[in-house]
């Protein structure tokens, strides 16, 4: 860079410009507009089924309503004249499953454990349904030959926790199964079906410990896997219905002796979200109290300012660390690391997780 | 507003019509384009438009003050003050947190009670880019290389939406004269524009996004759990990812500007075909490189004040270039490493000029050896750039030596194919692209639009669902 002779203040060469324009006659603006509109309209028609699926996966609101109003008749017509089938075939040929849920299909997140564990955490007699555990049981002792299986499950916050769980837990004693998926939650199985995915994870990997962090995207009506609204947000029925989703999720993860640390949602810079998030945290906490082998870890107070408000910084003695991302919701890498260290220590307290499995 | 979204497609159609419809009336046209650019910027957060307007106003006031000074010393002082005022918002937004945290922790380590207010300052998108353009404007007026522009010209120069968010960093004498002259609506290079836009989308949506999720994020997320092969492929994949991501963005920006009849300077010229690190910097993010050269390296004295001073100037330029990318130590170390590369390159050049070092033979084998060496050096530096800390980067580099013989499930054929395609773009003959474009230029508008739609459909279907932000938006 600085090796070019000085002074060097002439305009930069338009090398590519000159090449691309060379020898070709330009087109008048009117025709360029025709090209642009044809390109966008034809693409819109080809991509309409996918756009409609994406539109339906959005939260309720004006954008979703307008998109669905425009795309509904287009896709209906394309279905009738066979365009959808052709486009779907093209999509399959290009490697995309056109019928998969927009947020991904169950099993779409690879469970990076190649084979089922040789030792079940809580062996049950074959053929008998597993008995409910009435009190918390300790986590088993991991060995290098049979490391602990820890799944980190949930939305984008869990995706962050998953990466840093890998750093905090020692590879010799813990296999981390990262299952975070952005923009997902428990209210929209039509977008991504977490209940089915959790069953898949249990069947495929049988985690000893599942760390869950989900709920940031759940401030919306609860839908069925086919997209129909089951319980509207803002109605009295929403809380019990959401609790049922949370409970079902936790019960699946604790079957056969699995353990769950449910990480509560942290406060965010947008204080308008606080009442709803606190309500969600109460539900998570209540379910954790009710079910054995499920423990709730509170991040609200752990990452709040001294006055209880939002802060992006974490103080450890005199040392200050920026822990939150610019969006005021997520954590940065230091934040996820601190959170994961706290969760690991909490699992030691609650489930006697061996401290040798993680670094401080 | 992100380029690869339906929001932008609708926005652009409206702007395209307004732009050419008002082309004959420069006053109305400027008002319309400034309004459109502010809508584009405010789409992320409407509050940021006040920052953009504020930086523009500061730059214009500074430029006005500088242009009125005839005495050279006074002119320089006013310019320095103007530059300081223009860069102040950037320093606050980008470095406040970095310096307060480091000051608090240094004070704590020394037993002092330092308690600067710990507020989270969110970096507004694009502020680094338009601040650099604003500084170029003030300094060029000081150097008498550019006359004071009108308020509307300056506001449009800084806010013009194709370059607003991540460059290219266009100089005043490249864009403002174009703003002032009526654009020619008869000869728009639509084929060249579509080539850049669709090519940019392919690089971003298909290659960069795929490599990010398939190997780069996992490997850089926890290097200790990945094999030596995965570490090596992950680092190379990041080199390809950042090239496809950033050059893809600037290709789209240049293509969009082209459809409006504007010409932007190139930002990339096959950087991984460079034979030296000096050459790499003449091919990578070219508009930033020349900005650093013209507004930092040369004012520091460049190479006019002796060898030692040249080395010092190179190092200062690269360290500040690193810090420009982000307020974190790993960016500083990345810049410092490139500073060392450039110093060594400069030293070798000096020795060759003095006849103390033999010129390498210009054989094909030597050329490829030089390219490979440069690529490896650049990849080592990229590791520091991408990792979230210096420690993580060192762990990953350590795995490239120690982690061999372990399973490497992330190194798959699609990953290697994506890397291969990304690297192949550096060595494709220009003639091939020209032949394709010449063929497309012979199509009528309907056929051209239809063909572009099919290519767009293939790109959007091959890429993952959703829109991933561009890497350089964070800088």
């Amino acid at each position: 860079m600085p090796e070019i002779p000085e002074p060097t203040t002439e305009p930069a060469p338009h090398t590519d410009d000159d090449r691309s324009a060379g020898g070709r006659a330009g087109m008048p603006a009117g025709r360029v507009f025709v090209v642009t509109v044809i390109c966008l309209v034809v693409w819109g028609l080809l991509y309409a089924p996918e756009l409609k699926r994406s539109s339906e996966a959005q939260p309720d609101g004006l954008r979703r309503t307008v998109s669905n109003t425009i795309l509904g008749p287009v896709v209906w017509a394309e279905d009738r004249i066979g365009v959808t089938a052709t486009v779907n075939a093209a999509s399959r040929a290009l490697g995309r499953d056109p019928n998969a849920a927009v947020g991904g299909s169950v099993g779409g997140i690879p469970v990076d454990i190649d084979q089922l564990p040789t030792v079940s955490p809580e062996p049950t007699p074959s053929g008998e349904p597993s008995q409910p555990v009435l009190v918390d049981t300790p986590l088993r002792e991991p060995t290098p030959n049979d490391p602990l299986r820890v799944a980190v499950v949930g939305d984008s916050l869990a995706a962050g926790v998953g990466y840093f769980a890998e750093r905090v837990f020692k590879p010799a004693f813990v296999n981390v199964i990262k299952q975070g998926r952005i923009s997902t939650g428990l209210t929209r199985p039509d977008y991504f079906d977490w209940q089915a995915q959790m069953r898949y994870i249990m069947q495929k990997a049988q985690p000893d410990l599942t760390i869950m962090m989900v709920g940031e995207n759940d401030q919306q009506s609860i839908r069925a896997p086919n997209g129909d609204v089951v319980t509207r947000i803002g109605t009295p029925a929403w809380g019990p219905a959401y609790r049922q989703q949370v409970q079902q999720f936790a019960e699946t993860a604790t079957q056969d002796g699995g353990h769950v640390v449910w990480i509560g949602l942290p406060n965010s810079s947008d204080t308008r979200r606080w009442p709803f998030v606190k309500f969600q945290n109460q539900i998570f906490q209540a379910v954790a109290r009710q079910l054995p082998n499920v423990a709730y870890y509170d991040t609200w107070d752990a990452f709040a300012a001294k006055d209880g408000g939002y802060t992006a910084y974490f103080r450890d003695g005199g040392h200050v660390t920026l822990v939150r991302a610019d969006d005021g919701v997520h954590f940065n890498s230091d934040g996820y690391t601190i959170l994961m260290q706290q969760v690991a220590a909490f699992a030691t307290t609650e489930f006697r997780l061996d401290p040798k499995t993680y670094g401080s | 507003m992100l380029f690869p979204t339906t929001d932008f497609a609708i926005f652009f159609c409206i702007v395209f019509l307004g732009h050419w419809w008002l082309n004959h009336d420069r006053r109305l046209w400027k008002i319309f384009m400034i309004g459109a650019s502010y809508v584009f910027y405010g789409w992320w957060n409407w509050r940021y438009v006040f920052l953009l307007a504020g930086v523009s106003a500061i730059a214009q006031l500074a430029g006005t003050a500088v242009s009125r000074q005839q005495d050279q010393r006074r002119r320089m002082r006013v310019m320095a003050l103007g530059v300081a005022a223009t860069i102040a918002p950037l320093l606050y937004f980008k470095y406040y947190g970095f310096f307060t945290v480091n000051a608090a922790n240094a004070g704590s380590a020394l037993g002092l009670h330092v308690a600067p207010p710990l507020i989270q300052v969110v970096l507004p998108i694009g502020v680094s880019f338009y601040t650099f353009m604003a500084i170029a404007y003030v300094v060029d007026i000081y150097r008498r290389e550019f006359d004071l522009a009108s308020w509307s010209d300056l506001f449009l120069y800084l806010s013009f939406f194709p370059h607003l968010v991540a460059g290219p960093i266009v100089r005043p004498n490249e864009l403002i004269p174009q703003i002032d002259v009526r654009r020619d609506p008869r000869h728009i290079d639509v084929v060249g524009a579509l080539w850049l836009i669709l090519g940019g989308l392919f690089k971003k949506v298909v290659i960069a996004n795929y490599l990010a999720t398939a190997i780069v994020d996992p490997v850089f997320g926890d290097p200790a759990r990945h094999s030596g092969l995965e570490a090596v492929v992950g680092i190379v994949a990041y080199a390809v990812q950042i090239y496809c991501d950033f050059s893809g963005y600037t290709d789209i920006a240049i293509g969009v500007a082209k459809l409006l009849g504007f010409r932007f300077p190139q930002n990339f010229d096959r950087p991984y075909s460079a034979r030296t690190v000096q050459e790499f910097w003449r091919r990578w993010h070219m508009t930033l490189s020349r900005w650093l050269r013209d507004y930092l390296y040369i004012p520091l004295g460049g190479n006019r004040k002796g060898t030692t001073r040249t080395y010092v100037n190179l190092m200062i330029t690269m360290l500040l270039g690193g810090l420009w990318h982000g307020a974190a130590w790993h960016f500083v170390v990345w810049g410092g490493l490139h500073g060392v590369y450039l110093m060594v390159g400069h030293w070798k050049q000096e020795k060759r000029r003095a006849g103390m070092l033999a010129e390498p033979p210009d054989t094909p084998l030597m050329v490829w050896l030089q390219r490979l060496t440069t690529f490896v050096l650049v990849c080592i530096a990229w590791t520091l750039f991408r990792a979230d800390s210096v420690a993580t980067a060192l762990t990953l580099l350590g795995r490239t030596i120690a982690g061999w013989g372990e399973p490497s499930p992330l190194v798959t054929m699609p990953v290697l194919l994506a890397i291969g395609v990304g690297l192949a773009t550096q060595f494709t003959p220009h003639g091939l692209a020209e032949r394709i474009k010449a063929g497309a230029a012979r199509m009528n508008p309907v056929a051209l639009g239809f063909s572009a739609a099919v290519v767009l459909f293939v790109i959007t279907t091959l890429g993952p669902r959703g829109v991933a932000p561009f890497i350089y938006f964070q800088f």
Side-chain angles (χ1 to χ4, degrees):
Chain A
M1 163 194 49
E3 306 299 319
I4 293 174
E6 306 161 32
T8 48
T9 49
E10 75 283 359
H14 293 264
T15 50
D16 186 71
D17 246 3
D18 297 337
R19 279 197 301 268
S20 62
R24 286 194 306 279
M27 200 180 267
R31 286 190 181 187
V32 173
F33 187 69
V34 171
V35 172
T36 309
V37 170
I38 288 175
C39 172
L40 292 174
V41 168
V42 172
W43 172 80
L45 292 172
L46 290 173
Y47 211 55
E50 177 65 27
L51 289 173
K52 183 161 179 281
R53 277 191 288 272
S54 300
S55 167
E56 285 169 345
Q58 290 181 51
D60 291 331
L62 181 65
R63 180 182 278 260
R64 184 177 192 271
T65 307
V66 171
S67 305
N68 283 347
T69 307
I70 295 169
L71 291 165
V74 173
V75 173
W76 181 86
E78 290 191 348
D79 287 347
R80 298 296 173 283
I81 59 175
V83 172
T84 306
T86 311
V87 168
N88 285 350
S91 296
R92 274 190 209 95
L94 291 168
R96 176 183 286 179
D97 176 6
N99 297 319
V102 177
S105 52
V106 172
I109 316 174
V111 174
D112 43 3
I113 298 284
D114 292 328
Q115 54 196 14
L116 285 171
T118 50
V119 181
S120 174
E122 292 291 328
T124 53
S126 62
E128 289 179 22
S130 52
Q131 296 300 308
V133 185
L134 298 177
V135 290
D136 287 352
T137 56
L139 279 159
R140 70 181 172 84
E141 184 84 9
T143 64
N145 289 333
D146 189 17
L148 218 55
R149 294 177 297 277
V150 176
V152 185
V153 171
D155 54 25
S156 51
L157 281 161
V161 172
Y163 272 118
F164 293 90
E166 282 199 319
R167 289 197 195 178
V168 169
F169 285 121
K170 292 180 179 167
F173 298 108
V174 177
N175 275 337
V176 177
I177 306 152
K178 299 195 298 286
Q179 294 287 300
R181 190 147 194 126
I182 60 167
S183 306
T184 58
L186 298 177
T187 53
R188 296 294 301 271
D190 56 321
Y191 182 79
F192 186 75
D193 192 344
W194 265 120
Q195 304 290 359
Q197 177 69 15
M198 195 65 235
R199 289 193 292 274
Y200 172 79
I201 294 166
M202 293 307 293
Q203 179 200 349
K204 188 90 175 158
Q206 294 181 11
D208 301 281
L209 173 65
T210 302
I211 297 170
M212 289 181 176
M213 197 170 190
V214 71
E216 278 292 348
N217 306 308
D218 281 343
Q219 194 172 353
Q220 53 183 310
S221 299
I222 298 171
R223 289 174 188 268
N226 66 2
D228 292 343
V229 173
V230 176
T231 313
R232 291 215 170 271
I233 185 85
T235 61
W238 193 92
Y242 189 65
R243 180 180 171 140
Q244 195 184 353
Q245 295 288 325
V246 171
Q247 185 164 333
Q248 187 184 337
F249 201 46
E251 281 173 346
T252 306
T254 49
Q255 69 188 25
D256 296 331
H259 297 69
V260 169
V261 172
W262 196 299
I263 305 177
L265 298 171
N267 68 2
S268 58
S269 57
D270 182 359
T271 51
R272 290 170 302 180
R273 293 171 54 85
W274 285 17
F276 191 83
V277 171
K278 283 181 173 173
F279 176 59
Q280 286 177 286
N281 280 344
Q282 284 168 5
I283 290 175
F284 303 148
Q285 201 166 6
V287 169
R289 276 203 203 102
Q290 183 189 336
L291 297 178
N293 284 346
V294 181
Y296 171 80
Y297 183 70
D298 175 54
T299 59
W300 190 280
D301 292 332
F303 289 94
K306 278 180 188 166
D307 63 0
Y310 172 82
T311 176
Y313 297 89
F314 183 81
R315 283 181 185 275
D316 183 8
H319 193 81
V320 177
T321 309
L322 178 69
V323 291
R324 302 300 291 268
D326 280 355
D327 61 12
V329 175
H330 295 86
F331 293 88
N332 64 12
S333 54
D334 286 333
Y336 282 121
T337 305
I338 292 170
L339 171 59
M340 200 47 238
Q341 286 165 344
Q342 292 177 350
V343 168
F346 178 72
T348 298
T349 309
E350 293 291 317
F351 303 131
R352 283 185 257 165
L353 171 68
D354 193 333
K356 76 180 176 204
T357 57
Y358 55 92
S360 56
Chain B
M1 204 178 291
L2 289 165
F3 283 154
T5 57
T6 45
D7 289 357
F8 179 75
I10 294 165
F11 166 85
F12 181 74
C13 286
I14 296 166
V15 171
F16 185 89
L17 281 179
H19 162 75
W20 290 112
W21 187 48
L22 298 171
N23 190 31
H24 63 283
D25 185 334
R26 301 315 288 164
R27 199 176 67 86
L28 267 181
W29 175 84
K30 283 177 193 172
I31 293 169
F32 173 75
M33 291 304 285
I34 291 170
S37 297
Y38 273 70
V39 167
F40 175 84
Y41 193 55
W43 209 255
W44 275 284
N45 186 333
W46 60 269
R47 293 176 187 86
Y48 293 159
V49 300
F50 296 107
L51 178 68
L52 175 58
V55 170
S56 304
I58 291 169
Q60 183 64 349
L61 290 172
T64 307
V66 170
S67 69
R68 285 182 182 160
Q69 308 303 321
Q70 296 309 315
D71 176 67
Q72 190 57 25
R73 271 193 188 168
R74 278 182 64 85
R75 196 176 170 89
M76 193 171 81
R77 273 192 227 120
V78 173
M79 181 274 291
L81 203 65
V83 168
T86 307
I87 206 170
L90 174 66
L91 295 180
Y92 170 73
F93 281 104
K94 199 155 188 169
Y95 303 108
Y96 177 85
F98 179 67
F99 283 111
T100 50
V101 166
N102 280 287
N105 290 338
S108 171
L110 295 169
L112 305 169
H113 181 66
V114 184
L118 291 170
I119 48 176
Q120 185 176 24
V121 182
V122 177
L123 182 68
I125 206 159
V127 64
S128 305
F129 290 91
Y130 60 72
T131 298
F132 271 27
M133 286 173 59
I135 290 170
Y137 174 71
V138 176
V139 174
D140 283 4
I141 290 173
Y142 161 75
R143 289 174 174 167
R144 293 191 169 84
E145 289 169 4
F146 195 78
D147 292 332
L148 185 73
S150 68
W151 280 83
S152 57
D153 281 2
L154 187 273
F155 267 62
L156 184 50
Y157 161 64
L158 292 182
S159 67
F160 191 45
F161 71 89
H163 72 62
L164 179 56
V165 173
I169 301 170
V170 190
R171 293 173 60 144
N173 62 357
E174 290 169 334
L175 185 54
I176 293 178
Q178 295 190 66
I179 288 171
D180 260 342
V181 179
R182 196 178 156 209
R183 301 287 89 206
D184 182 358
R186 294 166 303 172
H187 302 290
I188 299 169
D189 182 17
V190 63
V191 171
L194 286 175
W195 178 266
L196 287 167
I197 292 168
L198 294 174
L201 279 172
F202 178 79
K203 285 195 274 187
K204 164 63 184 167
V205 175
V206 180
I207 298 181
N209 288 359
Y210 174 71
L211 287 176
T213 51
I215 189 161
V216 175
D217 292 348
V219 166
F220 279 86
D222 185 25
R225 288 182 186 253
H226 294 281
S227 70
L229 182 63
E230 284 179 335
V232 169
V233 176
I235 292 168
V236 173
Y238 181 66
V240 173
Q241 184 207 340
I242 192 169
Y243 167 73
C244 287
D245 193 288
F246 192 20
S247 77
Y249 175 85
T250 44
D251 282 354
I252 298 168
I254 295 168
V256 165
K258 208 183 258 273
L259 287 176
L260 300 175
F262 285 87
R263 294 175 66 183
F264 278 179
Q266 272 299 97
N267 223 8
F268 293 89
D269 184 16
R270 304 157 178 245
Y272 296 142
S273 68
R275 293 163 63 180
T276 63
V277 176
Q278 290 102 311
E279 190 188 346
F280 171 79
W281 278 108
R282 288 194 289 270
R283 292 168 173 273
W284 176 272
H285 202 174
M286 294 149 73
T287 57
L288 174 67
S289 297
R290 68 179 185 167
W291 192 98
L292 291 172
R293 180 194 65 200
D294 294 346
Y295 301 102
L296 187 58
Y297 177 71
I298 290 174
L300 284 170
N303 56 9
R304 292 164 301 181
K305 297 191 174 178
T307 308
T308 310
R309 185 65 188 274
T310 302
Y311 291 160
V312 171
N313 291 342
L314 279 171
M315 185 52 87
I316 291 172
T317 304
M318 296 315 294
L319 285 173
L320 290 177
L323 201 57
W324 176 83
H325 282 88
W329 289 112
H330 61 104
F331 286 121
V332 178
V333 177
W334 170 79
L337 188 55
H338 270 288
V340 171
Y341 291 163
L342 290 177
M343 284 161 61
V344 172
H346 195 272
W347 176 83
K348 282 166 70 178
Q349 224 168 24
E350 291 289 304
K351 293 291 169 198
R352 281 185 187 130
R353 275 199 203 113
M356 296 163 74
L357 203 64
E359 287 284 345
D362 204 19
T363 59
L365 180 66
M366 181 54 74
V367 169
W368 281 99
L369 203 61
Q370 287 172 326
R371 282 177 173 158
L372 184 65
T373 308
T374 304
F375 185 65
V376 170
L377 292 173
V378 168
C379 281
I380 291 169
W382 280 142
T383 310
L384 286 150
F385 190 91
R386 169 60 178 81
D388 55 28
S389 68
V390 176
T392 306
L394 293 178
T395 306
L396 182 55
L397 289 170
R399 294 298 295 167
T400 64
I401 298 163
W404 291 89
E406 297 170 15
S408 305
L410 295 183
V411 182
T412 59
M413 274 315 289
V415 163
L416 296 176
L417 183 67
I419 291 172
V421 171
L423 289 176
T425 60
Q426 315 286 302
F427 302 101
T428 316
H430 285 304
L432 179 66
E434 283 310 307
R435 279 200 294 278
I436 297 170
K437 283 191 264 185
R442 284 192 287 273
M443 291 180 175
N444 65 47
V446 176
L448 185 59
F450 194 87
S451 306
V454 172
V455 174
L456 189 57
F457 172 74
V458 171
I459 291 169
T460 46
T461 306
L462 279 175
R465 288 181 168 111
V467 183
F470 290 89
I471 292 175
Y472 260 71
F473 280 20
Q474 64 187 293
F475 306 135

